[in-house]
Amino acid sequence: MPLWPDAPPSSPAPPGPEYVSTGSDLIGGKTVTAIHNVSIPTITVYPPSAPGNGTAVLVIPGGGFSILAMDLEGTEVCDWLVQRGVTCVLLKYRIPSAPYDWTCDCRPHNFALSVPSYQDTQRAMRLIRSHAAAWHVDAGKVGVLGFSAGGFLVAEASTNFRRRVYRPVDDVDTVSARPDFAVGIYPGHLTADRATLNPTVRVPKDAPPTFLLQAEDDHVDGVDQVLVYYRALKEAGVTAELHVYPRGGHAFGLRPTAEPITRWPALVDTWMESIGMLPSSGK
């Protein structure tokens, strides 16, 4: 379903029409499907295949704000979540988008608020809550899970939920955009100097409980992204869980490989049980 009843706010002109491409590199034995030039953002709702438990997760793929890794970090994530009784809502947000600038193929404001994509994220959170009854979702159990650039959007959603980044367009925009929990998998754009948090994601005391995971050999965004953000969460008194692995690189999604880090969904299952977002498995 489209996010906006009319044209999205503050839409930058994309470099061309939307299209889909398939890469040649293999991750977990499979190629990756990418979506380019998204100007009409949408959400796709995946109802739980197991008995529903009322929890919903907005899944936010990465792609450096230039593309969306829509299967690796999107549909495959929903395949996992629905088996846990979770309603999965997959976000297709506008790209290319700040902090990436397609006109120079660069990131001149690498730590800027990603306005169009964050507008789409806020709107998606509100749409989930406004449809909670129809989708059999508990409006107090709506979380976010994102990868890489999507992990940055998770941090923005967790820290900027009071910030109005667009003018309200209908009654949906009276609903809270605050996530009830947050999962950031190899997020980016959170620090540049291993010590200072990106000032666009100042952590309030009522930021949601957060799960973070990254590999030490992530040479795209770097392990310091989660280390600095985790420290900021703890300094604000926010419940947080951090997992750092020595190997795994970047952009592995949920696809199992020989690296132990790719078993992270089991860690998220346990963590979601511990914060009351999944029923206890009795393990």
Side-chain angles (χ1 to χ4, degrees):
M1 61 184 294
L3 285 177
W4 306 94
D6 298 305
S10 61
S11 284
E18 182 176 319
Y19 69 96
V20 176
S21 67
T22 301
S24 57
D25 294 338
L26 299 181
I27 298 174
K30 303 179 192 174
T31 58
V32 176
T33 299
I35 297 182
H36 305 249
N37 301 337
V38 176
S39 59
I40 305 299
T42 64
I43 53 173
T44 302
V45 182
Y46 294 74
S49 56
N53 51 46
T55 297
V57 174
L58 178 68
V59 171
I60 311 176
F65 296 105
S66 58
I67 59 98
L68 299 180
M70 213 63 180
D71 56 353
L72 177 71
E73 298 168 348
T75 57
E76 294 172 14
V77 186
C78 288
D79 289 342
W80 157 59
L81 288 171
V82 297
Q83 295 174 28
R84 271 62 177 177
V86 173
T87 298
C88 184
V89 181
L90 179 56
L91 176 62
K92 186 172 84 167
Y93 55 92
R94 283 172 285 166
I95 47 95
S97 167
Y100 174 71
D101 183 350
W102 65 267
T103 61
C104 59
D105 192 17
C106 62
R107 289 168 174 78
H109 305 291
N110 201 35
F111 300 101
L113 189 75
S114 54
V115 174
S117 50
Y118 184 49
Q119 289 171 335
D120 294 342
T121 302
Q122 274 199 346
R123 176 72 180 182
M125 287 295 298
R126 293 178 171 128
L127 277 170
I128 296 170
R129 285 206 171 95
S130 66
H131 288 84
W135 296 347
H136 307 290
V137 166
D138 183 335
K141 292 185 175 183
V142 181
V144 286
L145 188 159
F147 302 80
S148 194
F152 180 44
L153 285 165
V154 164
E156 289 183 317
S158 300
T159 59
N160 283 272
F161 48 85
R162 291 190 183 88
R163 183 174 181 174
R164 283 285 182 183
V165 290
Y166 64 90
R167 184 172 296 178
V169 296
D170 54 26
D171 290 343
V172 170
D173 293 322
T174 64
V175 179
S176 172
R178 177 188 178 274
D180 296 302
F181 60 96
V183 179
I185 308 297
Y186 45 84
H189 305 278
L190 295 174
T191 186
D193 59 7
R194 302 184 179 184
T196 306
L197 182 67
N198 180 343
T200 65
V201 290
R202 291 189 178 94
V203 180
K205 294 186 181 301
D206 57 347
T210 300
F211 178 102
L212 298 168
L213 177 133
Q214 204 147 21
E216 287 184 350
D217 65 350
D218 183 339
H219 301 306
V220 175
D221 286 313
V223 71
D224 295 303
Q225 306 295 321
V226 292
L227 298 178
V228 170
Y229 189 49
Y230 176 79
R231 186 175 69 240
L233 290 165
K234 299 312 295 180
E235 288 174 352
V238 177
T239 298
E241 182 168 317
L242 170 65
H243 295 266
V244 173
Y245 285 74
R247 294 182 304 278
H250 189 80
F252 42 81
L254 277 79
R255 295 180 183 176
T257 70
E259 299 297 347
I261 196 171
T262 60
R263 301 171 198 154
W264 65 264
L267 299 174
V268 173
D269 282 343
T270 302
W271 176 75
M272 288 178 66
E273 289 178 15
S274 74
I275 62 171
M277 295 298 161
L278 285 182
S280 175
S281 62
K283 295 179 182 178

